[in-house]
Amino acid sequence: FQKAAALDPKDYAAHFHLALAYSLQNDAAHAIPEYKKTLELKPALYQAELNLGILLLREKRPSDAIPHLESAVTQKPKEARPQYQLAEAYLASGDPAKAAQHFAASLEADPKSPAAELGLGRAELLRNQLPEGAAHFRKAAELDPKYRDALLELAAAYEKAKQPAEAIALYRQFPENTGAQERLGELLLESKQYAEAIPRLEKAVAESPTSANRLALATAYRMNKEPAKELEQLGKAAAADPGDYDLRMIYGRALRDERQLAPAAQQFYAAAQKKPESVEAWNELASVLIIHEDYGPGLAALDKVKALGKESPGNLFLRAITLDRLKQKKPALESYEQFLATDNGKNPDQEFQARQRARIIKQELTKR
């Protein structure tokens, strides 16, 4: 064909077949100019317009493809293939309304096309026509089982539309798909169906033990009143990703809630080392250390909060009772008085306690 085109440069058939040969070798760089040359010599040649449009579409040039596919459709409006390719070009170029029009025309020519059904479904979703789009997704899967996985796209669309029940129903249809089961577990968790979420999340963790799905499983265990299993998953997640500040904080709080104060302190300390400017981490660390009667390190953690300029009335009260227990009367009194001067009635029980202790400490200091 190269020789034929060279011998007679005006032979459009030679250029067409040369273009076809290049395209069958996936050589778009040479095929596209040959198709264009064919159309210069033989304008609006149907097969050249169609082939060039398809090739440009495959090369992710949908806007360039559209005029050639429009020409093909104009010549054979009842043919399914040009309508379908034009619809794909409009969809890729961001015009779902025109895409829907041509997918529908393709289906009119070939009502059994799962590809056209799926394309029309996608176009309808982009037009915010979820019920109509859903019907076409389901029809595509019905026509050809190979299109069933596209239902996961539909499930994601239901999630985006705040319709979790519909998404859950679709994810249930993919018991062997780890990602679908993980998302199903998360949706069941969000829907407060904790017991049902657990086996899905357990499966996801068994097949792909990431920090994210371990955390989701731990949350399900917590809500289902299974704290030992919750801590097990959080511990494994923290061990696998020791630099994750948020994970350390979550694990620390879970340990604290189960009164495992020393391990909780270790997690809060690790979080504070990861993010030294975190007032939250230092506060949590101070609290569990002081409750654990580890007063020296607890005061050191409170000093970190103070150094960050974020000392609150609650910090002052915690400092005061700690100093009080350490028999450091004068600094304890100062902290009680600072707390009372700044709390402004927000914590009446603590204010009552602070007044009583301040009065007693003053009497003890006076007696000295």
Side-chain angles (χ1 to χ4, degrees):
F1 289 127
Q2 288 172 336
K3 290 178 179 178
L7 287 169
D8 186 357
K10 294 185 178 182
D11 183 352
Y12 76 87
H15 285 287
F16 173 81
H17 286 97
L18 179 55
L20 183 59
Y22 278 133
S23 65
L24 290 172
Q25 288 188 319
N26 295 314
D27 186 353
H30 287 94
I32 289 170
E34 290 299 329
Y35 276 128
K36 288 182 176 179
K37 183 64 177 178
T38 302
L39 290 168
E40 285 178 20
L41 297 169
K42 185 72 170 178
L45 180 65
Y46 170 77
Q47 199 62 52
E49 296 278 33
L50 179 61
N51 289 1
L52 178 55
I54 292 171
L55 190 55
L56 289 167
L57 186 55
R58 287 176 185 168
E59 291 296 298
K60 303 188 185 306
R61 295 167 57 183
S63 297
D64 293 336
I66 286 171
H68 300 289
L69 294 170
E70 286 278 15
S71 174
V73 164
T74 300
Q75 294 178 64
K76 296 191 177 183
K78 300 298 183 181
E79 290 284 332
R81 192 180 185 204
Q83 292 282 7
Y84 173 80
Q85 296 294 339
L86 180 56
E88 287 284 359
Y90 275 123
L91 192 64
S93 66
D95 191 339
K98 286 187 177 178
Q101 173 188 336
H102 290 286
F103 279 127
S106 180
L107 280 169
E108 190 174 334
D110 181 7
K112 299 294 185 181
S113 170
E117 287 284 2
L118 179 58
L120 183 51
R122 287 170 172 161
E124 295 291 18
L125 291 190
L126 289 172
R127 296 173 65 214
N128 296 315
Q129 302 296 318
L130 181 53
E132 293 82 355
H136 293 292
F137 270 87
R138 290 191 168 94
K139 184 65 175 179
E142 177 187 319
L143 288 169
D144 188 339
K146 289 187 293 186
Y147 285 77
R148 282 193 72 252
D149 283 353
L151 293 174
L152 296 172
E153 291 180 43
L154 179 59
Y158 276 128
E159 286 191 60
K160 186 178 178 182
K162 310 297 183 187
Q163 297 183 38
E166 288 79 359
I168 285 170
L170 285 173
Y171 286 131
R172 286 184 194 278
Q173 297 179 30
F174 295 86
E176 303 306 318
N177 185 307
T178 301
Q181 290 303 295
E182 182 178 349
R183 193 64 198 126
L184 173 58
E186 291 167 353
L187 287 175
L188 290 168
L189 189 59
E190 292 170 13
S191 302
K192 300 182 179 181
Q193 300 177 56
Y194 307 121
E196 195 174 354
I198 286 171
R200 271 80 182 186
L201 293 170
E202 286 176 335
K203 179 180 174 65
V205 166
E207 296 183 2
S208 178
T210 65
S211 294
N213 56 32
R214 284 195 188 280
L215 181 57
L217 178 56
T219 303
Y221 282 140
R222 182 181 77 249
M223 301 307 295
N224 206 46
K225 313 297 185 190
E226 298 182 69
K229 290 183 177 180
E230 174 198 4
L231 292 178
E232 178 188 6
Q233 291 304 317
L234 289 175
K236 289 179 178 179
D241 196 358
D244 190 321
Y245 165 85
D246 293 322
L247 189 53
R248 292 283 192 178
M249 293 294 288
I250 292 167
Y251 187 25
R253 290 190 180 106
L255 289 164
R256 177 203 62 196
D257 292 345
E258 291 303 308
R259 308 300 293 177
Q260 297 185 34
L261 300 178
Q266 292 175 357
Q267 295 305 315
F268 291 134
Y269 181 76
Q273 295 305 298
K274 183 67 180 175
K275 194 182 288 188
E277 75 282 4
S278 172
V279 173
E280 185 180 23
W282 291 116
N283 271 332
E284 291 282 16
L285 178 59
S287 177
V288 296
L289 286 170
I290 291 168
I291 293 170
H292 195 244
E293 299 183 356
D294 200 352
Y295 298 126
L299 284 171
L302 288 174
D303 288 341
K304 291 286 188 180
V305 176
K306 185 177 181 178
L308 289 167
K310 298 294 184 178
E311 192 171 44
S312 68
N315 294 131
L316 290 167
F317 181 76
L318 195 58
R319 182 184 293 276
I321 62 173
T322 303
L323 292 167
D324 201 351
R325 289 168 185 167
L326 290 170
K327 309 299 182 183
Q328 298 182 30
K329 301 296 183 181
K330 190 172 180 181
L333 176 60
E334 291 174 357
S335 292
Y336 279 130
E337 289 178 338
Q338 287 178 334
F339 166 68
L340 290 168
T342 56
D343 193 57
N344 299 318
K346 293 177 182 176
N347 298 281
D349 291 343
Q350 285 80 7
E351 287 186 18
F352 175 79
Q353 182 182 346
R355 288 191 189 95
Q356 296 304 309
R357 286 303 302 157
R359 179 178 57 80
I360 292 168
I361 292 171
K362 284 179 182 177
Q363 290 175 351
E364 291 174 350
L365 291 173
T366 302
K367 288 178 183 179
R368 292 181 185 177

